[in-house]
């Protein structure tokens, strides 16, 4: 696979900036809606479970389609798929902004997610094939990963200001100008490229993944209302288990499955996958609990609630680029362990939250949690692609991105269910008490990040990544078949 030729440093930075811009709006959209949830509930008369679906409909579809979007881009052209994703994402945002009811809002969030799925893994493939020198690529991946953390941390602040000034629909309108700028920059500066040997489509695998995610998420969110022992919930749980078993059974029997289980022979890759799930489950659970607590239990406005999370955003912005540099210099272990410890400490400070908990304690918790979230993204991405052939970097990154989205989906589903299961907890002291179980779950997920950081980044673990990378190395392509690139100056 050859890298784009004729691209200077300025053009490379423009390509990186364009890719990061797309990631920023997708990442921001993951969290900006959280601060608008109480306003949506009041305006559209929604329950807690319905609020969960406004978040999880997006992350669920995003998780299900990321890998197939990446392989499609390899076949028909990365810039083409990337531009299409921007257009669909913008269209979905506009539809969400005019949604007449909650059902329509959830449906239009699905449209948004279809567009968003064409952005993250495709952009990573573009970056990987633009920055070919290892140290240069590590810095680019560090910047890319930092944007994830910054966007998600800024979401509550930006969302709060928008909701107070222009209503909850404005959080969707703001995506349009950013997407338009990204579309123009992509047309001007991003070269078209295709893989020399693109992966084959795996429609059966895609269906199994989607049904697994949907049935599992529905079971968690609706289990309390339907009854955990109801035939529907038990049937859906068995369906999820059957889909997972089907993936495990058929993947080794296909030449190019949707999910190549050989990736998981690399301990760092497997660790990065589980770490991504734990990290983003903690983050999404943190934001979901925090939004309802600040606005419904404390009675603060969206702007006031968003500003309370400013320490988290500031620390994330500060530590995200530091993490990228640390990974490039000393590897992922220290940033990962530090991230898990910091996030766990922040969550521990919020266990036992009451209606009159001091602002100092909350600010300290948000700041420490932000340090951890700022540190965690660069080592996850770096570890996922560690030792992998460049031809497989896009697939490895897509699986890591899918794990992030699945973690977000899982976090909202689980902690939302813990709140909904407490009788009489619509607001006030009852809601504050209802968050306690959720904070313990966030704490457990964060602690798992620190443990995984220790166990999956040592020398023995790295040797498994090298062996897996050698096994996945594609055969030399026939003469005249190489990565095709059309460079636009």
């Amino acid at each position: 696979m050859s890298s784009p030729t004729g691209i200077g440093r300025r053009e490379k930075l423009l390509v990186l900036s364009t890719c990061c811009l797309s990631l920023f709006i997708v990442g921001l959209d993951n969290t900006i809606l959280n601060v608008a949830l109480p306003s949506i509930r009041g305006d559209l008369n929604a329950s807690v479970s319905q609020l969960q679906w406004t978040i999880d409909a997006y992350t669920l579809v995003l998780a299900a389609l990321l890998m197939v979007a990446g392989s499609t881009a390899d076949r028909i052209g990365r810039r083409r798929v990337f531009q299409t994703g921007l257009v669909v994402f913008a269209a979905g945002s506009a539809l969400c902004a005019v949604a007449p009811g909650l059902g329509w809002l959830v449906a239009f969030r699905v449209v948004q997610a279809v567009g968003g799925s064409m952005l993250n893994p495709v952009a990573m493939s573009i970056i990987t094939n633009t920055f070919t020198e290892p140290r240069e690529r590590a810095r680019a991946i560090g910047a890319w990963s930092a944007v994830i953390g910054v966007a998600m941390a800024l979401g509550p602040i930006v969302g709060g200001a928008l909701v107070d000034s222009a209503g909850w629909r404005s959080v969707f309108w703001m995506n349009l100008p950013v997407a338009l700028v990204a579309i123009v920059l992509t047309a001007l500066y991003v070269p078209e490229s295709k893989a020399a040997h693109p992966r084959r489509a795996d429609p059966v695998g895609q269906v199994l993944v989607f049904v697994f995610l949907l049935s599992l998420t529905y079971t968690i969110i609706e289990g309390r209302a339907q009854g955990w022992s109801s035939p529907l919930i038990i049937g859906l749980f068995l369906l999820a288990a059957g889909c997972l078993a089907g993936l495990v059974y058929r993947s080794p029997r296909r030449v190019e499955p949707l999910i190549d289980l050989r990736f998981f022979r690399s301990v760092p890759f497997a660790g990065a996958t589980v770490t991504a799930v734990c990290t983003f489950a903690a983050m999404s659970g943190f934001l979901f609990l925090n939004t309802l607590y600040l606005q419904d239990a404390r009675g603060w406005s969206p702007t006031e609630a968003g500003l309370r999370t400013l320490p988290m955003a500031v620390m994330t912005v500060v530590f995200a680029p530091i993490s990228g540099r640390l990974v490039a210099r000393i590897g992922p272990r220290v940033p990962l362990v530090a991230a898990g410890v910091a996030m766990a400490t922040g969550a521990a400070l919020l266990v036992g939250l009451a209606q009159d908990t001091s602002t100092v304690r909350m600010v300290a918790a948000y700041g420490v949690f932000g340090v951890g979230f700022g540190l965690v993204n660069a080592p996850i991405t770096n570890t996922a692609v560690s030792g992998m052939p460049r031809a497989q970097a896009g697939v490895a990154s897509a699986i890591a991105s899918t794990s992030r989205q699945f973690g977000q989906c899982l976090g909202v589903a689980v902690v939302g269910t813990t709140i909904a299961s407490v009788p009489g907890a619509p607001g006030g002291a009852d809601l504050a008490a209802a968050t306690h179980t959720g904070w313990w779950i966030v704490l457990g997920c964060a602690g798992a990040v620190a443990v995984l950081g220790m166990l999956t980044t040592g020398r023995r673990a790295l040797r498994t990544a090298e062996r897996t990378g050698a096994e996945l190395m594609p055969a030399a392509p026939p003469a005249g078949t190489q990565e095709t690139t059309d460079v636009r100056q």
Side-chain angles (χ1 to χ4, degrees):
M1 182 181 295
S2 63
S3 62
T5 56
I7 297 183
R9 177 174 173 76
R10 175 179 174 274
E11 287 75 17
K12 286 184 177 181
L13 292 177
L14 284 168
V15 170
L16 177 61
S17 299
T18 304
C19 292
C20 287
L21 189 62
S22 71
L23 179 63
F24 182 81
I25 59 174
V26 173
L28 192 71
D29 206 75
N30 277 336
T31 59
I32 195 172
L33 190 61
N34 277 278
V35 78
L37 291 178
S39 297
I40 293 173
R41 180 168 63 182
D43 192 19
L44 302 181
N45 193 29
S47 65
V48 172
S49 64
Q50 289 173 321
L51 292 180
Q52 288 172 272
W53 279 115
T54 63
I55 303 293
D56 276 356
Y58 179 85
T59 54
L60 177 70
V61 174
L62 203 62
L65 297 181
L66 280 171
M67 285 180 286
V68 72
S71 61
T72 301
D74 287 342
R75 285 195 301 272
I76 70 174
R78 295 176 182 125
R79 184 179 64 197
R80 180 183 301 176
V81 171
F82 189 68
Q83 287 178 309
T84 302
L86 287 168
V87 171
V88 174
F89 184 84
S93 298
L95 289 170
C96 287
V98 299
L102 193 81
W104 286 106
L105 178 60
V106 172
F108 295 149
R109 289 281 283 168
V110 170
V111 176
Q112 261 193 313
V114 172
S117 69
M118 303 181 200
L119 301 179
N120 288 14
V122 181
M124 176 53 71
S125 292
I126 292 171
I127 290 172
T128 301
N129 288 282
T130 299
F131 295 86
T132 55
E133 192 272 321
R135 197 172 188 84
E136 182 184 51
R137 189 191 306 161
R139 287 194 294 267
I141 291 176
W144 159 265
S145 302
V147 170
I148 300 175
V150 171
M152 292 189 70
L154 286 178
I157 299 172
V158 176
L162 286 172
V163 171
D164 263 348
S165 61
W168 64 266
R169 297 179 188 274
S170 62
V171 303
F172 297 108
W173 285 122
M174 71 159 290
N175 290 331
L176 271 63
V178 181
L180 180 60
V181 170
I183 290 169
V184 173
L185 289 174
T186 301
L188 292 176
Y189 299 109
V190 175
E192 182 62 286
S193 63
K194 300 178 183 178
H197 299 282
R199 294 170 61 84
R200 300 173 186 174
D202 183 9
V204 175
Q206 181 62 59
V207 170
L208 288 173
V209 167
F210 183 74
V211 174
F212 166 73
L213 293 174
L214 178 60
S215 54
L216 181 62
T217 303
Y218 187 95
T219 299
I220 295 172
I221 292 178
E222 301 294 343
R224 184 193 63 84
Q226 297 285 341
W228 294 108
S229 59
S230 69
L232 175 63
I233 296 302
I234 293 175
L236 287 174
F237 181 78
L238 292 175
L239 178 61
C243 289
L244 182 60
L247 282 169
V248 173
Y249 174 78
R250 71 185 300 276
S251 291
R253 291 163 174 79
R254 280 186 60 86
V255 176
E256 292 179 331
L258 181 69
I259 301 177
D260 192 335
L261 297 182
R262 292 180 299 171
F263 279 90
F264 293 92
R265 295 175 186 173
S266 165
V267 172
F269 176 84
T273 302
V274 180
T275 300
V277 172
C278 293
T279 296
F280 282 78
M283 180 61 170
S284 63
F286 182 99
L287 292 176
F288 191 85
L289 292 170
N290 192 61
T291 295
L292 295 179
Y293 169 76
L294 292 179
Q295 294 188 54
D296 288 349
R298 302 298 290 260
W300 286 324
S301 70
T303 299
E304 291 172 328
L307 287 174
R308 291 300 192 288
T309 67
L310 184 61
M312 182 178 70
V314 170
M315 292 298 100
T316 300
V317 170
V318 169
F319 280 88
I322 292 175
S323 178
R325 290 195 290 270
L326 285 173
V327 171
R329 291 180 182 177
I330 63 174
R333 169 173 274 194
V334 171
L336 269 180
V337 174
V341 171
M343 292 173 67
T345 302
L349 288 171
L350 297 173
V351 171
L353 210 58
Q355 191 177 8
D356 58 352
T357 297
S358 71
T359 300
V360 172
R361 176 177 164 185
M362 289 191 295
V363 167
Y366 299 156
V368 175
F369 193 91
V371 170
F373 193 66
L375 288 171
V376 79
N377 280 290
I380 286 176
T381 305
N382 181 274
T383 305
V385 301
S386 174
M388 297 294 177
R390 199 145 51 91
Q392 303 291 345
V395 180
S397 174
I399 295 175
S401 295
T402 299
S403 301
R404 287 185 174 100
Q405 300 304 325
F406 177 61
Q408 282 186 253
C409 186
L410 200 61
V412 171
V414 172
V415 302
T417 299
T418 65
I419 290 180
S421 64
V422 178
D430 288 338
L431 178 59
T435 65
H436 293 176
T437 301
W439 290 120
W440 279 111
I441 294 171
V442 173
L443 173 58
C445 290
V449 172
V451 174
L452 288 166
M454 285 294 297
L455 296 178
T456 64
T457 56
R459 291 181 179 178
R460 290 184 180 179
L462 292 176
R463 283 197 290 271
T464 67
E466 293 171 359
R467 289 196 297 269
T468 303
E471 183 180 346
L472 293 169
M473 185 69 71
T481 60
Q482 61 177 4
E483 180 88 358
T484 58
T485 304
D486 166 31
V487 180
R488 290 193 175 188
Q489 298 295 338

